[in-house]
Amino acid sequence: QKEVEQNSGPLSVPEGAIASLNCTYSDRVSQSFFWYRQYSGKSPELIMSIYSNGDKEDGRFTAQLNKASQYVSLLIRDSQPSDSATYLCAVTDAGGTSYGKLTFGQGTILTVHP
Amino acid sequence: SQTIHQWPATLVQPVGSPLSLECTVEGTSNPNLYWYRQAAGRGLQLLFYSVGIGQISSEVPQNLSASRPQDRQFILSSKKLLLSDSGFYLCAWSVMNYGYTFGSGTRLTVV
């Protein structure tokens, strides 16, 4: 059974700091990786996707992927109180019979305090 | 642009009553469609997915069912709700492996 593991937190960082969120996955054939942000009471929102080893930057967000270690992370630079949310890591394989199904981690609660 | 509509936003239903939640997608053709449930303080649990009209795959045995009568319409149903069916129900769509776009969700409370 595919598993995606995240530290549930809460992770608390001061405003302006770097928040580092980590995720490990069990299925070695996984090919696509996503980070979602979910505010309390709202639906998840896709913020980053990464498909190959290395770093991918988008504004204040950087996703990092290491397939050999089965590890994916999300860095949030210059953290703002508005970044306070639950961050969900999601993983899928290349397709085939999975039809793009995502397996989600339990999520990490991030709190950015002024 | 693609949009996904999900309704109702909130629902309070008595135990044993039926359920029908609807989801529609606009701006795309032949999307993969998904129903997830998120219990309070828990992760996302995949309930059903569909790759085409009339094609439904169930991930978790339960008293829920799903149907896809049209390409961009996905319906979640139950004949008799249980207390354990309470949760936040999310519809999502995807094309290939580019990640999901979620609807706004339905918060169901079974009393």
Side-chain angles (χ1 to χ4, degrees):
Chain A
Q1 183 176 355
K2 298 178 184 179
E3 292 184 351
V4 179
E5 299 288 338
Q6 292 181 256
N7 187 328
S8 61
L11 174 65
S12 181
V13 301
E15 184 174 356
I18 296 175
S20 178
L21 306 165
N22 305 315
C23 172
T24 59
Y25 58 95
S26 63
D27 192 346
R28 286 193 169 274
V29 301
S30 296
Q31 294 290 330
S32 305
F33 306 86
F34 307 92
W35 283 98
Y36 285 81
R37 177 176 62 198
Q38 186 176 23
Y39 291 114
S40 181
K42 302 297 185 181
S43 62
E45 171 193 15
L46 179 64
I47 56 172
M48 287 290 286
S49 59
I50 187 166
Y51 304 95
S52 56
N53 281 328
D55 295 359
K56 178 181 177 183
E57 186 175 320
D58 184 0
R60 295 187 295 113
F61 299 100
T62 299
Q64 299 174 317
L65 175 61
N66 184 325
K67 291 186 179 180
S69 300
Q70 295 176 240
Y71 176 91
V72 60
S73 66
L74 178 71
L75 300 177
I76 307 174
R77 292 182 299 282
D78 188 23
S79 295
Q80 301 296 311
S82 59
D83 295 325
S84 297
T86 298
Y87 288 81
L88 301 167
C89 173
V91 171
T92 189
D93 66 23
T97 59
S98 77
Y99 303 110
K101 289 188 296 179
L102 290 180
T103 300
F104 285 85
Q106 293 293 308
T108 298
I109 299 171
L110 172 67
T111 301
V112 181
H113 54 87
Chain B
S1 63
Q2 301 90 357
T3 56
I4 179 168
H5 303 280
Q6 191 179 344
W7 67 92
T10 60
L11 196 57
V12 179
Q13 293 284 98
V15 169
S17 64
L19 173 73
S20 180
L21 302 180
E22 188 165 342
C23 170
T24 59
V25 181
E26 296 178 358
T28 187
S29 296
N30 197 30
N32 295 334
L33 296 173
Y34 310 87
W35 279 111
Y36 277 82
R37 178 172 60 201
Q38 188 174 39
R42 304 285 297 276
L44 288 163
Q45 179 187 35
L46 179 62
L47 302 176
F48 300 94
Y49 69 93
S50 172
V51 299
I53 296 173
Q55 301 179 61
I56 307 296
S57 295
S58 174
E59 290 290 299
V60 181
Q62 60 220 327
N63 69 322
L64 299 172
S65 63
S67 63
R68 186 170 176 174
Q70 301 180 40
D71 181 45
R72 289 169 284 181
Q73 183 185 29
F74 205 23
I75 298 171
L76 181 70
S77 304
S78 174
K79 292 182 179 178
K80 289 186 178 181
L81 284 169
L82 306 172
L83 286 173
S84 58
D85 292 323
S86 294
F88 190 37
Y89 287 81
L90 291 157
C91 179
W93 73 272
S94 74
V95 175
M96 298 182 69
N97 281 316
Y98 298 134
Y100 293 176
T101 298
F102 285 94
S104 54
T106 295
R107 190 161 305 280
L108 172 67
T109 303
V110 182
V111 297

